[in-house]
């Protein structure tokens, strides 16, 4: 067995997993506060990235300005979604809110298709300078390294945020018990709005970073659907545990990179193997009795 | 009554009702699709099937011509003409129904033509759609063909075989087009081909998927993709490859493409180290390249979609691996600009002349000027030229048939084409029983920031009985 080859693949897998971790952080952030599983997360990232594309590639304005435009548009979109379609559903079953996010997914993908075209022929913006870093047997782009660094920073930063900041603690309080949080003087609507805005900003950042160099095609469905892998990772963390979600994302990335080349599997030419592996992670999270998801659900039901 | 319980009951009833409706519609749709294959076809179609009423036979006459564009098609309108009122068929009897279908879409003043293009998803065939439209608008501006103007209706298949089949049926049964001209929908062409073959409607153009080379009513304007790999492989052999890694975009006919490449390579004693179908959304090019290197590949031969080429070349540059690389259809200058540093030395195969290299020739110049006249700023892409050639072939066939136009006459006339010169392809010959008209390619190499011809003419081949290929005399450009 060529261990050097699999080490190289593992390194590739780690950077791929960092992509998923970027998305998982945003999903966890929104769910941890509002208990809404936001299926439109990828679509928010996608449309924000297209805003950056419009500014940088079509209007030829500075790429940093374009990225800021993506962040601002993501935040505004998140605020709008929360204010006009989620907040009115307070008290309704969570499934209703999930369906609303699915509706937003459809709306946003259709909107992008109408405005910019629904094909995959959109060249990404160039935010990160060209260049590579060599590891044993493999080279990694600066863009991919930045993905990994940002994912690690987000994991740590969000963990600290929830534990040590007033807003973070308020978010946890709202997630635990909305009525009590209100009684304690926490402005629940503002906290939820902040969660959605922050989550959508993370979606925008993830979208811009992931579309660097065309790694994830800039079209109406690739960025929207890559969130499925992020969901798998977030589910493994029970939708509330950031370090577990990060770890699951990395493991999934490594599995997707290494598994197709394993003896016995490589000759099968299994199409859609990355998707199958993500499904496996989801099933594992759902079925294993000691998984974070099962424990989180049990805690909520108690 | 507790309002919450009442609301819950209402919700449950609505959910149950929605479920029943969905099930019902699903069964109806499934029944419709399975019934589709058993529908009788129009009489009077040469080689198109048995007798019976044609699908459009119960509709009389020609309505005022209009064009329908799907969302996503941009940049222009199909030519709209007013029908002069000539009726194509008026009764429901079997023979008259066959006659109606045979000249469906033809009125005294216009001919209605259809097309299907992938404009949503990993491919963007809008330039192909616009190429046909531009050609027809050019012809209409010159007075049309035999006193008739050309009206074009096209649909987007969304890279979905089901949508492609729906679009095919809509063009034939609802829009009642005379022919299909210019068709670029890689994922739905195999399935929709079966329907068009049953109907017997002339189809000129298409991506040349294997299913388009059996029925008599199909006339592709490039080499059969299911066999052409053997021809292209001859040039890989001459290029000195020893252990190539082969990759083909994952489409319904990828297996046949790969098999034909392997057959051609086997003729010169070469076995690829790997030969895979690759999804157009494949993001893991680093892992793939590492795998190819590990298997000892000394060269790469790939036929991919344009954005996959971008990702491939970026990954090759990143990993610092620059083996001899052969591509098919990669002369997309807009996307090449994104990876031009990694393209040096790449050899590319095209079925049509690359305009950027051949603007000195009248054909490519006319193509570019006409396309940009009607659709300023549209991308010049080699796959779009296939549709331009299809439009040119169709118009020439119409001219030769004359005013008394039927589908059978068009098909008969197309089979008389011998070395017909087009603007951007090698000369076209359709023989009875063999519509694989263009077994020629242009070979280019990327040097110093642009494509240059490897040979000064089209390189051509013939097939051997065992599915391999042998070179035959080349044909001049233009």
């Amino acid at each position: 067995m060529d261990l050097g080859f699999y080490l190289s693949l593992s390194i590739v897998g780690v950077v791929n997993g960092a992509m998923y971790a970027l998305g998982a952080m945003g999903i966890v952030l929104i769910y941890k506060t509002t208990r809404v599983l936001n299926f439109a997360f990828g679509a928010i990232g996608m449309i924000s990235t297209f805003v950056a594309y419009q500014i940088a590639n079509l209007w030829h304005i500075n790429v940093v300005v374009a990225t800021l435009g993506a962040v601002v548009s993501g935040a505004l979109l998140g605020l709008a979604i929360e204010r006009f379609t989620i907040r009115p559903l307070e008290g309704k079953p969570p499934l209703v809110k999930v369906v609303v996010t699915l509706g937003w997914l459809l709306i946003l993908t259709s909107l992008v298709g109408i405005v910019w075209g629904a094909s995959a022929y959109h060249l990404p913006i160039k935010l990160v300078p060209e260049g590579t870093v060599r590891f044993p047997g493999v080279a990694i782009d600066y863009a991919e390294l930045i993905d990994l660094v940002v994912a690690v920073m987000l994991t740590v930063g969000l963990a600290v945020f929830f534990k040590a900041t007033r807003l973070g603690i308020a978010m946890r309080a709202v997630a635990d018990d909305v009525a009590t949080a209100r009684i304690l003087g926490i402005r629940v609507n503002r906290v939820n709005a902040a969660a959605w805005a922050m989550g959508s900003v993370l979606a925008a950042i993830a979208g811009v970073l992931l579309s660097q160099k065309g790694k994830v095609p800039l079209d109406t469905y690739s960025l929207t659907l890559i969130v499925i892998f992020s969901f798998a990772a977030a589910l493994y963390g029970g939708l509330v545990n950031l370090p577990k979600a990060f770890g699951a994302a990395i493991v999934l990335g490594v599995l997707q990179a290494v598994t197709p080349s394993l003896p016995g599997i490589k000759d099968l030419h299994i199409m859609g193997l990355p998707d199958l592996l993500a499904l496996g992670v989801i099933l594992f999270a759902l079925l294993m009795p000691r998984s974070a998801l099962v424990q989180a659900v049990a805690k909520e039901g108690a | 009554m507790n309002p919450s319980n009442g609301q819950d009951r209402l919700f449950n009833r609505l959910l149950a009702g929605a479920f029943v409706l969905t099930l019902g519609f699903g069964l109806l749709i499934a029944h419709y699709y399975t019934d589709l294959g058993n529908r009788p076809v129009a009489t009077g179609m040469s080689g198109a099937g048995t007798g019976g009423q044609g699908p459009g036979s119960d509709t009389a006459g020609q309505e005022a011509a209009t064009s329908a564009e799907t969302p996503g098609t941009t940049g222009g309108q199909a030519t709209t003409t007013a029908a002069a009122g000539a009726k194509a068929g008026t009764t429901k009897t079997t023979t008259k129904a066959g006659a109606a279908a045979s000249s469906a879409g033809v009125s005294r003043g216009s001919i209605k033509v259809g097309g299907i293009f992938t404009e949503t998803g990993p491919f963007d065939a809008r330039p192909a759609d616009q190429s046909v439209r531009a050609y027809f608008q050019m012809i209409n501006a010159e007075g049309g063909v035999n006193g008739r103007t050309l009206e074009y209706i096209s649909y987007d298949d969304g890279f979905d075989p089901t949508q492609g089949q729906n679009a095919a049926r809509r063009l034939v049964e609802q829009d009642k087009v005379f022919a299909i001209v210019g068709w670029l929908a890689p994922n739905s062409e195999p399935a929709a081909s079966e329907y068009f073959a049953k109907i017997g409607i002339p189809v000129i153009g298409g991506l040349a998927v294997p299913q388009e080379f059996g029925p008599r009513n199909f006339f592709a304007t490039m080499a059969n993709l299911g066999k052409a790999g053997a021809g292209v492989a001859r040039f890989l052999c001459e290029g000195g490859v020893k252990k190539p890694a082969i990759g083909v975009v994952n489409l319904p006919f990828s297996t046949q493409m790969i098999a034909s490449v392997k057959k051609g390579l086997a003729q010169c004693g070469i076995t690829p180290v790997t030969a895979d179908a690759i999804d157009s959304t494949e993001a893991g090019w680093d892992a793939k390249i590492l795998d190819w290197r590990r298997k000892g590949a000394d060269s790469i031969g790939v036929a991919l979609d344009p954005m996959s080429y971008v990702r491939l070349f970026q990954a090759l540059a990143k990993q610092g691996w620059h083996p001899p690389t052969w591509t098919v259809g990669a002369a997309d200058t807009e996307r090449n600009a994104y990876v031009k540093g990694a393209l040096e030395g790449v050899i590319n195969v095209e079925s049509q002349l690359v305009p950027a290299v051949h603007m000195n020739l009248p054909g490519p110049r006319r193509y570019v000027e006409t396309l940009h006249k009607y659709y300023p700023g549209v991308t010049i892409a080699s796959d779009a030229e296939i549709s331009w050639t299809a439009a040119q072939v169709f118009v020439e066939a119409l001219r030769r048939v004359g005013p008394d136009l039927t589908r059978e006459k068009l098909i008969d006339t197309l089979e008389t084409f011998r070395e017909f010169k087009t603007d951007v392809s090698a000369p076209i010959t359709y023989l009875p029983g063999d519509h694989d008209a263009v077994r020629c390619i242009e070979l280019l190499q990327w040097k110093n920031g642009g494509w240059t011809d490897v040979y000064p003419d089209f390189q051509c081949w013939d097939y051997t009985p065992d599915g391999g290929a042998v070179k035959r005399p080349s044909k001049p450009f233009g």
Side-chain angles (χ1 to χ4, degrees):
Chain A
M1 206 181 208
D2 186 346
L3 290 178
F5 171 65
Y6 290 107
L7 176 62
S8 303
L9 286 182
S10 300
I11 294 171
V12 170
V14 166
V15 297
N16 287 346
M19 291 196 307
Y20 311 147
L22 283 176
M25 297 301 107
I27 293 168
V28 168
L29 171 62
I30 292 179
Y31 185 85
K32 204 171 164 78
T33 307
T34 66
R35 291 296 185 256
V36 175
L37 189 55
N38 180 17
F39 278 105
F41 182 83
I44 294 171
M46 180 263 301
I47 196 169
S48 304
T49 308
F50 268 97
V51 167
Y53 166 84
Q54 176 72 39
I55 296 171
N57 287 9
L58 300 184
W59 290 340
H60 305 289
I61 296 174
N62 183 276
V63 70
V64 174
V65 172
T67 306
L68 284 172
V71 167
V72 168
S73 62
L76 290 174
L77 185 56
L79 286 171
I81 291 173
E82 191 277 330
R83 175 64 185 86
F84 298 112
T85 61
I86 300 294
R87 195 181 300 180
L89 297 174
E90 188 179 330
K92 294 288 186 281
L95 182 60
V96 174
K97 299 172 191 172
V98 168
V99 171
V100 167
T101 66
L102 280 171
W104 273 106
L105 187 157
L106 294 173
I107 290 170
L108 295 175
T109 50
S110 298
L111 185 62
V112 169
I114 291 168
V115 174
W116 286 284
S119 77
Y121 289 18
H122 302 100
L123 294 171
I125 68 170
K126 287 190 184 181
L127 175 64
V128 178
E130 301 278 340
T132 58
V133 175
R134 285 219 67 91
F135 288 88
V138 69
I140 304 296
D141 273 329
Y142 287 162
E144 290 169 321
L145 269 182
I146 287 172
D147 287 348
L148 183 59
V149 168
V150 169
V152 170
M153 284 171 55
L154 278 176
T155 306
V156 173
L158 284 173
V160 170
F161 169 78
F162 280 115
K163 274 199 160 46
T165 65
R166 285 184 65 171
L167 180 57
I169 293 170
M171 284 181 177
R172 284 166 55 202
V174 167
D176 277 345
D177 189 331
V178 173
T180 305
R182 275 215 173 89
I183 290 168
L184 291 173
I186 293 174
R187 295 175 112 160
V188 171
N189 288 339
R190 286 198 182 180
V191 167
N192 285 341
W196 272 88
M198 286 173 61
S200 301
V201 164
L202 292 184
I205 293 171
V208 170
L209 288 178
L210 297 185
S211 65
Q212 288 298 293
K213 305 200 77 178
K215 182 147 190 177
V216 178
L218 185 53
D219 54 34
T220 57
Y221 53 89
S222 296
L223 276 175
T224 306
L225 294 181
I226 200 135
V227 76
I228 291 174
F229 300 135
S230 300
F231 270 126
L235 276 172
Y236 185 80
L239 296 168
V240 294
N241 190 311
L242 290 161
K244 279 191 175 176
F246 177 84
I250 299 299
V251 168
L252 179 58
V254 171
L255 282 175
Q256 290 179 336
V258 171
T259 307
S261 298
L262 289 174
I265 294 179
K266 63 184 176 194
D267 297 323
L268 297 176
H269 299 290
I270 302 172
M271 302 303 298
L273 186 57
D275 305 320
L276 278 175
L277 290 167
L279 177 63
V281 169
I282 293 172
L283 286 175
F284 186 83
L286 288 171
L287 297 175
M288 294 304 289
R290 293 177 65 83
S291 75
L293 176 64
V294 172
Q295 290 180 344
V297 168
K299 186 181 161 196
E300 283 197 28
Chain B
M1 178 192 289
N2 185 333
S4 172
N5 284 342
Q7 282 180 347
D8 287 343
R9 271 202 286 273
L10 178 62
F11 176 76
N12 288 337
R13 283 175 193 154
L14 285 172
L15 191 63
F19 179 77
V20 169
L21 276 173
T22 304
L23 193 62
F25 274 122
L27 287 170
L28 274 174
I29 289 168
H31 174 70
Y32 179 74
Y33 273 104
T34 52
D35 187 50
L36 187 65
N38 298 325
R39 288 191 184 177
V41 299
T43 56
M45 292 294 152
S46 311
T50 59
Q53 284 197 328
S57 60
D58 59 347
T59 305
Q62 290 292 320
E63 59 281 356
T66 56
S67 69
E69 289 204 27
T70 60
T73 50
T74 59
Q77 299 295 317
T79 306
T80 302
T81 65
K87 301 219 179 230
T90 57
T91 70
K92 292 190 182 184
T93 62
T94 302
T95 52
K96 289 240 174 120
S102 179
S103 54
V106 179
S107 68
R108 194 178 307 210
S110 72
I111 302 168
K112 209 186 295 187
V113 183
I116 306 172
F117 300 90
T118 297
E119 298 176 10
T120 309
F123 294 92
D124 184 3
R126 278 176 298 173
D129 185 353
Q130 290 157 343
S131 294
V132 177
R133 292 178 185 280
Y135 193 88
F136 284 174
Q137 287 176 77
M138 178 183 72
I139 295 298
N140 288 340
E142 294 168 0
V145 185
N146 300 326
R148 294 185 174 109
T149 52
L150 298 165
E151 178 197 333
Y152 196 58
I153 303 171
S154 64
Y155 295 113
D156 174 14
D157 80 330
F159 199 62
D160 177 10
T162 305
Q163 279 193 52
Q165 286 188 306
N166 288 342
R169 276 203 314 282
R170 190 173 171 186
L171 285 170
V172 170
E173 298 172 18
Q174 201 170 313
D175 300 312
K176 300 196 192 326
V177 298
F178 172 71
I180 303 296
V181 176
W183 185 19
L184 194 59
N187 209 24
S188 68
E189 284 189 35
S193 295
E194 291 181 22
Y195 172 72
F196 286 144
K198 283 197 169 77
I199 298 299
I201 186 171
V203 178
I204 300 102
L207 193 58
V209 306
Q211 289 82 350
E212 293 165 9
F213 288 90
R216 187 172 173 243
N217 54 311
F218 283 85
F219 296 88
T221 52
M222 54 182 274
N224 184 342
L225 284 184
K227 296 167 71 174
V232 174
R234 297 300 307 166
F235 300 97
L236 264 77
C237 291
E238 288 180 4
V241 303
K242 296 281 185 281
K243 294 192 282 183
I246 303 294
V248 165
V249 64
N250 187 25
L251 290 169
F253 44 91
S254 300
T255 309
Q256 287 151 297
M257 290 173 70
I258 292 170
S260 71
V261 171
K262 282 180 165 178
K263 193 149 274 199
L265 290 172
Q267 283 188 297
C268 40
I270 294 174
T271 303
V273 299
T274 182
D276 292 320
I278 302 170
D279 276 335
S280 56
T281 53
E282 173 69 56
W285 280 101
D286 292 305
K288 201 165 286 297
I289 285 165
L290 290 175
D291 189 46
W292 288 350
R293 287 186 87 168
R294 175 174 169 256
K295 287 174 176 167
D298 67 355
S299 52
I300 296 173
V302 284
L304 305 170
D305 60 282
M307 290 310 293
S308 289
Y309 278 130
V310 171
R311 289 192 287 279
L312 165 66
F313 288 120
Q314 285 178 339
L316 285 171
K318 184 167 70 171
Q319 301 304 333
W321 189 37
H322 303 283
T325 301
W326 293 66
T327 59
V328 176
D332 184 330
T333 49
E334 186 175 302
R335 270 155 279 284
N336 286 345
Y338 203 71
V339 292
K340 55 188 174 192
L343 283 175
E344 195 63 25
V346 168
I347 296 178
N348 183 50
V349 167
E350 294 288 347
S351 65
Q352 321 277 307
L353 290 176
V354 176
V357 179
H358 297 287
M359 284 302 282
N360 58 311
L361 296 175
R365 200 165 55 241
R366 181 166 86 142
Y367 169 64
V368 173
E369 288 171 358
T370 307
L371 188 62
H372 281 163
K373 175 183 173 185
Y374 293 103
Y375 301 99
V378 71
T379 303
I380 301 296
S382 53
D383 52 9
E385 291 177 271
I386 301 166
S387 293
W388 176 271
T389 301
Q392 192 170 11
V393 165
F394 175 67
V395 167
E396 175 63 21
L398 288 178
R399 287 195 175 118
R400 294 188 190 184
V401 170
D404 185 20
L405 181 61
T406 66
R407 288 174 175 170
E408 298 90 340
K409 287 184 181 175
L410 187 79
I411 292 170
D412 290 341
T413 301
L414 283 162
E415 286 190 335
T416 66
F417 274 44
R418 301 288 182 270
E419 296 293 302
F420 170 64
K421 284 194 188 329
T422 69
D423 284 338
V424 290
S425 77
I428 286 181
T429 295
Y430 294 122
L431 299 173
D434 181 6
H435 294 177
D436 196 353
V438 187
R439 299 168 204 172
C440 300
I441 50 175
E442 180 190 12
L443 274 143
L444 309 107
Q445 188 167 31
W446 186 274
K447 282 182 183 172
N448 302 319
W451 293 110
T452 56
D453 280 309
V454 175
Y455 299 101
D457 42 28
F458 284 111
Q459 299 298 297
C460 304
W461 66 87
D462 275 323
Y463 295 113
T464 57
D466 63 351
V470 290
K471 286 181 77 172
R472 64 182 169 97
S474 56
K475 297 190 179 177
F477 293 146

